[in-house]
Amino acid sequence: MDAKPKTPIALTIAGSDSSGGAGIQADLKTFSALGVYGASAITAITAQNTLNVERIEALPQGMVRQQIQAVFQDLPVDAIKIGMVLSASIVREIIEAISNYQGYVVLDPVMIAKSGDSLLDEDAIDSVRTLLLPRADLITPNLPEVAILANDQPTSNTNQALVQGHVLMELGAKAVLIKGGHGMDSICTDWLIVNKQPPIKLASPRVSTPNTHGTGCTYSAAIAAHLAKSESLVDAVAHAHDYLARAIQSADQLNIGSGHGPVHHFHGIWQ
């Protein structure tokens, strides 16, 4: 009898979004839509909807680390996506738990929710910069996040944003994907910076829709899913970019909430 082919597995380490559009919920939907089995380690629980974040509670000390260790003890994880970490202590738990992990790590440095609510303690920014950033194979900041991590001012100027991205490379990032969702041009452009190569441009038409809740989570989760399927980093980013573009283009097919609704993770499966 032929052995069963290995099922690709991705682990998301992130916060829970009670409205289902971002965080752990968005990541697991993305993994599933892309044919990857998803495991999870929750860093914090949020009471939120499409309008705002009403409350955030971190898990008890040690629980994030224990979740990750429990997954590793049983599941051969091919790729990890790290999203909302909330605090410096949680960052340290994550670093300890993944210290011996050999697969891909994608870091989405979540700082602000779509509603404008803060999702990262001020004193945790340095921990993300000094501990998580060098540990990741790819970091996926948007324009405000790359500026904060580079200790610079936010900009919509491409050249300045690329300079900020290279600052993150100097800080230890192995690759940086600067997301252009906060730009104002009719074309949304992302830039992938990898060592010893010119920046790689990924562009798609900007879609006029309020339904963009969870775009960053979805993008980084899609990259992790494609990496779990043994794609190269460049191919994984390109395929994730295309998946997210279609998820945004299909977002208005859904009627979810009265604020920033989610993208359509299952646009290729149901309408």
Side-chain angles (χ1 to χ4, degrees):
M1 179 181 291
D2 294 336
K4 292 181 180 179
K6 183 185 182 304
T7 302
I9 300 173
L11 166 65
T12 169
I13 304 171
S16 170
D17 171 9
S18 54
S19 74
I24 288 284
Q25 288 83 349
D27 296 344
L28 293 177
K29 290 174 183 178
T30 301
F31 293 162
S32 183
L34 294 174
V36 171
Y37 182 85
S40 65
I42 297 174
T43 58
I45 298 171
T46 69
Q48 68 173 294
N49 51 38
T50 64
L51 296 170
N52 56 50
V53 179
E54 298 178 1
R55 183 175 175 181
I56 301 175
E57 290 285 347
L59 267 68
Q61 185 174 357
M63 189 59 185
V64 174
R65 180 179 65 251
Q66 192 167 356
Q67 289 176 87
I68 298 168
Q69 291 171 338
V71 172
F72 283 167
Q73 287 167 7
D74 188 40
L75 306 183
V77 175
D78 298 294
I80 294 174
K81 173 264 171 78
I82 301 174
M84 173 188 173
V85 294
L86 186 61
S87 69
S89 61
I90 291 175
V91 169
R92 291 191 291 270
E93 285 191 39
I94 294 170
I95 287 295
E96 180 181 344
I98 68 173
S99 60
N100 295 319
Y101 178 69
Q102 300 297 313
Y104 279 105
V105 177
V106 178
L107 170 63
D108 181 22
V110 177
M111 297 182 185
I112 304 293
K114 194 69 65 180
S115 60
D117 296 281
S118 176
L119 299 177
L120 182 68
D121 293 346
E122 188 70 27
D123 63 356
I125 295 175
D126 192 59
S127 295
V128 171
R129 184 187 294 118
T130 60
L131 298 177
L132 280 181
L133 186 151
R135 182 63 182 83
D137 295 283
L138 174 69
I139 180 170
T140 64
N142 57 33
L143 292 173
E145 291 162 350
V146 70
I148 291 171
L149 291 171
N151 279 318
D152 201 356
Q153 295 298 312
T155 180
S156 59
N157 179 278
T158 296
N159 290 334
Q160 184 60 30
L162 288 172
V163 168
Q164 294 170 350
H166 280 98
V167 169
L168 302 194
M169 297 289 283
E170 293 170 3
L171 291 173
K174 300 176 183 67
V176 179
L177 175 65
I178 302 175
K179 300 176 295 191
H182 284 71
M184 302 300 293
D185 296 338
S186 60
I187 300 297
C188 182
T189 303
D190 305 331
W191 292 94
L192 175 61
I193 304 172
V194 293
N195 274 325
K196 300 178 181 178
Q197 293 186 36
I200 299 170
K201 180 178 181 179
L202 302 101
S204 59
R206 191 177 299 278
V207 179
S208 179
T209 175
N211 299 321
T212 55
H213 183 52
T215 49
C217 304
T218 299
Y219 202 170
S220 54
I223 295 169
H226 284 288
L227 290 172
K229 294 192 288 187
S230 300
E231 295 184 15
S232 70
L233 178 62
V234 173
D235 285 347
V237 171
H239 290 150
H241 179 272
D242 291 343
Y243 167 78
L244 178 62
R246 293 193 299 272
I248 295 173
Q249 290 163 6
S250 304
D252 289 351
Q253 294 176 5
L254 303 177
N255 183 13
I256 308 295
S258 54
H260 290 285
V263 302
H264 194 344
H265 297 93
F266 296 108
H267 56 270
I269 302 172
W270 56 268
Q271 296 183 358

